[in-house]
Structures are given as C-alpha cells and as structure tokens.
Amino acid sequence: MLVLALETSCDETAAGIVEDGCRIRANVVASQIELHRSYGGVVPELACRSHLTNLPTVIDAALEEAGVRLAEIDVLAATLGPGLIGALLVGLSMAKAMAFALRKPLVGVNHLAGHIYAAFLTQPPPTFPFVALVVSGGHTDLYLVAEHGCFQTLGRTRDDAAGEAFDKVAKLLALGYPGGPIIDRLATRGRPDAVAFPRAMLAPGNYEFSFSGLKTAVRQHLLRAEEAAGLPVEDIAASFQEAVIDVLVTKTMDAVQHTGVRSLAVVGGVAANSGLRGRLAEVAARQGVQLTIPPPELCTDNAAMCASAAYYCYRAAPERVAAGEGDAWLRLDAKATLPLRSWSTARSGDGAATR
Ligand code: KG4
Ligand code: ZN
C-alpha cells in the first residue's frame, strides 16, 4: 500500500511516499532556512506563503523519485498539528483537494506520531513495548508505546523544549539560526566540563524536563564572562550541550528501567545531535537496551515519517475509512496545539482516519 503524506507544520515543505509503512519510496524536503535566517527564527506568514508556492513542486518531485503516478497512491495523509496554524492549513488543504479529486482516503496525522514513526523507517525498528523520547524544537516528551498507535505519556517539558534551548543559546552566542546543528559542530571542538551548567530535576522517577533555567545560566555566564576574560565559544557550546545530554539520557534510561522495556526510540530534530547519539549508543549498549535512532534526515521534519504513521493509523481502522463517513474527512481540522492521542484505543479523534 502506498501512502503519500504532506508535512507543512513549520518551515519545511515536505512530501513523502512510503510503501507498507516501512519502505521509503520518496522523501522530499524543501527547507526554508535561508528564507528565515535573517530574522533569526521562523516567520509564520512567510512560511505559509512559501509552503503554498513550494508544495506542487515538492509533490511532483516525490512522485518522480518514487516512480509512481498519482493514480497509484492508495492513501493520502497530512499533518493536522501541532504546529503553525497557517502552515498546517496549507498542507492539509492540499491533501483534501487531492483526496477529493482522486477519491482516495485521507488520514490526518499528529506531528509527534510522525516523529515516533520515523523509528519504523529505521533499522532495527523498535520492538513493542518501547520508550520513545521525542526531542525537537517544540517538544521534549517521553512516551511508553505499548503497541502501534498506543501512546502513554510519561513526562514532558514544563517550559522550553530541548531544541528551543539549543536555538536560544545559539542566539545568545550570536551563532545564527537554527542553533542546534551549529552548537553540535562547535561542541566537538570544546571542553564539555569547562562550565558546570545546571541539570534540572534529575530525581529518579521524575520524567518532567525543564530547560529554561539552563538557558538563563548560559546568559548569566556570558554576562559574568564579559567582565573577566571569556571562555572560547566552543567550550560554552560543549558545556551547554553536555548538560542537555546528561538530562535527556539520565531521564530516558530511568524511564526504560522503570517501565522494564528493552527497546528505546529517540526521535525528533535534536536526535540528530552527534553528542546525544554517541552517548545513547554507549549507554544503551552497556545496559543491553535495543536503541533506534533514525538517520539525521529522518530526525528533522520530513513527510516520510508522517506517511508511515498514516499507514499504521489507516490499517487500524480501514473499515471506517473504506466505508466513509459522509463528509467527515472534509471537516478534519488543523490545530496549533494537538496532544498525541492513541488511535488504537480512541474510537475517533485527531489521529484517526476519517474517509
Ligand atoms: O523536529 P524538528 O525538525 O522540528 C520540530 O518539530 O520542532 O526539530 C527542529 C529542532 C531545532 O530546534 C533544531 O535546532 C534542532 O531540532 N536540531 C538540533 C540538531 N539538528 C536540529 N539540535 C541539536 N543538534 C543537532 N544536530
Ligand atoms: Zn518536528
């Protein structure tokens, strides 16, 4: 079964085609980084307009990459949220128009489910039940995933997401946007023990995160360092990154132990971080835990991950989809804030297929 998904929740215009939920046939991402760079962050109105102009080209490129015609696509999908509302609406409206014209089912996908399903496009895929750490620009969430589409929240950030902390600290250091990859590169040349930045809420059994204090600690360090001779920026980057990694790895492995699972998936943009990947690989191997981290291009936003999530979501309720529910699919709505709901237990809802 071929699923074509569109993902436009933030500043990447993406189309992906995935076969049977696990084989990537096409994964096309048009990045808008250059468009937003001079503003130091994503400008929502510019992102929406750019999605609108990029989408047809990106969809054509995906079909060409997969070597399929539009008529051969079995199911269409689009991200419903969370994300920038205008940006989401562009992708969802396009997917609705395509579903209408092709008379094909349409599946609405939660962006966080998309990130988790990037793990099913990776070797080895996770084994149920597993713990998933979703660590991105907007989220730092820990889930227990009992089976396909069954997500139990263990904890999440109380304030900033880890990726947001990377971006804000890069801004404080005047490094540019987006900050994560720049800090990642600099950190490889710095001393991770140069500054003892705080590690928040490390008590065992606490799966909530907080990164805003860490960001403030970096700012205070920079203010103090202006009076004394400052440390090289590589040392600050490495020390900051080390603090983030310590917290993410400690809490995640604590959750793995506490739940008794033997499989762990780490997904989302920050999972592209080389320091985090290295540390997780080391700790998971030592503890005998199977670790799945998608390759970097599947960690950051893409539509192949959404196509995989849509496949499993569709497979869970094909009769509902095939029978159709009048015009219910047309009422699928984009939402800026959208909690990740289980589709294997929910009878209907935001993660569910509806046409
Ligand atoms: O998943 P994603 O592409 O978009 C969201 O859903 O937010 O994640 C983007 C975030 C940004 O904050 C970016 O700085 C961060 O992921 N990021 C990284 C790296 N690559 C991207 N953070 C640390 N190290 C990286 N190599
Ligand atoms: Zn994302």
Side-chain angles (χ1 to χ4, degrees), residues 8-20:
T8 60
S9 64
C10 191
D11 62 338
E12 328 273 4
T13 315
I17 300 174
V18 169
E19 189 174 346
D20 297 336

Side-chain angles (χ1 to χ4, degrees), residues 246-321:
D246 276 353
V247 172
L248 292 176
V249 174
T250 304
K251 284 178 181 279
T252 302
M253 296 317 290
D254 188 23
V256 167
Q257 274 208 330
H258 174 81
T259 54
V261 304
R262 305 311 301 154
S263 175
L264 166 66
V266 181
V267 298
V270 179
N273 185 272
S274 58
L276 177 63
R277 297 171 80 90
R279 177 87 72 84
L280 281 166
E282 196 183 297
V283 175
R286 199 166 46 212
Q287 298 189 14
V289 173
Q290 181 200 298
L291 174 66
T292 305
I293 311 184
E297 67 276 12
L298 291 178
C299 289
T300 46
D301 286 350
N302 65 88
M305 66 186 196
C306 298
S308 175
Y311 167 83
Y312 287 101
C313 183
Y314 177 82
R315 211 182 62 166
E319 63 298 330
R320 186 157 36 120
V321 174

Side-chain angles (χ1 to χ4, degrees), residues 33 166-167 170 177-187 241 269 272-273 300:
I33 285 178
F166 269 95
D167 295 335
Y177 162 87
I182 305 173
I183 290 188
D184 189 354
R185 262 194 317 278
L186 284 176
Q241 183 174 293
N273 185 272
T300 46

